[in-house]
Amino acid sequence: MVVAGLIYYPASFLAHFLKETNPVLSSVLSIFSTVLNLIIDLVLIRISLKFCDSQKVRFSEFFGGIAIFFKFIFSSILYGLAVIVGLVLLIIPGIILGFRLQFYGYLIVEKGLGPLQALNKSFEMTKGYTWQLFLLGLSLILINLLGALALFMGLLITIPVSFLAEARVYRIIIGNLHLKDTPVDTNVNKS
């Protein structure tokens, strides 16, 4: 987080600062910081899933390859477009879509799904959990605001905790789906 922040924030700040004087360099730096942010998100998702499964995290496992990265980029773009369209359509649909589609990254990292598959699966698996996901999202926003108030140093704790909380909720929802899909044996031998 520290290393990523030392690269991301100066690039983002410089892109904003150069917007008026050098728009080309500003655009390049903006694209660089956006790509870096997506890489950080992918790494944090992978680490969070490993922690939830009580597995060791190895540096070599941080990056799942270039294919996963491009799937994640395309999914992120589609996710952003869906949420923006939903927000334009009376705000509430955008908020609902944001929460229902939020696990696309986890599905790409863990299941290797494509962009549309991951978004569809996330929407399907979060059916019935919208309010709980809304409350979780609100809680995580408040926690991260408190981290930012602590001279931004608190974010070194609150951002990983947020990813771990999301990964845990993802694991719970996936586990509940598997329980629903498991057939119940009604032919139990009664003796």
Side-chain angles (χ1 to χ4, degrees):
M1 291 274 312
V2 172
V3 171
L6 289 174
I7 298 169
Y8 172 77
Y9 289 110
S12 182
F13 175 76
L14 194 56
H16 181 70
F17 182 73
L18 293 174
K19 198 175 203 177
E20 301 283 327
T21 59
N22 195 339
V24 174
L25 183 58
S26 175
S27 297
V28 169
L29 287 170
S30 292
I31 291 169
F32 171 75
S33 61
T34 301
V35 169
L36 183 63
N37 192 36
L38 289 171
I39 291 170
I40 293 167
D41 284 350
L42 259 177
V43 168
L44 288 174
I45 287 171
R46 189 174 296 277
I47 290 171
S48 299
L49 288 172
K50 292 280 188 183
F51 270 81
C52 279
D53 297 339
S54 299
Q55 295 178 359
K56 286 189 174 188
V57 179
R58 294 181 181 90
F59 185 76
S60 62
E61 297 173 334
F62 280 179
F63 308 100
I66 198 82
I68 285 179
F69 178 68
F70 282 115
K71 287 179 187 179
F72 190 70
I73 285 178
F74 292 131
S75 295
S76 297
I77 291 168
L78 293 174
Y79 172 82
L81 289 173
V83 171
I84 288 170
V85 168
L87 289 172
V88 169
L89 300 173
L90 304 172
I91 299 173
I92 301 296
I95 294 170
I96 292 170
L97 280 173
F99 288 114
R100 296 282 307 273
L101 299 174
Q102 73 179 353
F103 293 117
Y104 71 90
Y106 293 88
L107 292 163
I108 290 170
V109 167
E110 184 171 59
K111 309 276 187 202
L113 298 181
L116 289 175
Q117 292 172 313
L119 290 164
N120 287 333
K121 180 69 175 174
S122 180
F123 189 80
E124 176 187 305
M125 68 186 254
T126 55
K127 183 178 181 184
Y129 293 100
T130 306
W131 279 108
Q132 292 94 333
L133 293 172
F134 174 75
L135 292 174
L136 172 68
L138 194 60
S139 300
L140 295 179
I141 287 170
L142 292 173
I143 288 169
N144 285 309
L145 281 174
L146 290 173
L149 288 175
L151 301 175
F152 292 98
M153 295 305 292
L155 292 174
L156 294 174
I157 296 170
T158 62
I159 289 174
V161 166
S162 297
F163 271 90
L164 289 172
E166 285 182 356
R168 181 68 181 133
V169 168
Y170 167 79
R171 281 285 183 245
I172 290 169
I173 292 173
I174 287 286
N176 288 342
L177 285 178
H178 290 303
L179 289 176
K180 288 180 187 175
D181 293 342
T182 305
V184 177
D185 187 8
T186 56
N187 298 323
V188 177
N189 190 3
K190 297 179 182 177
S191 13

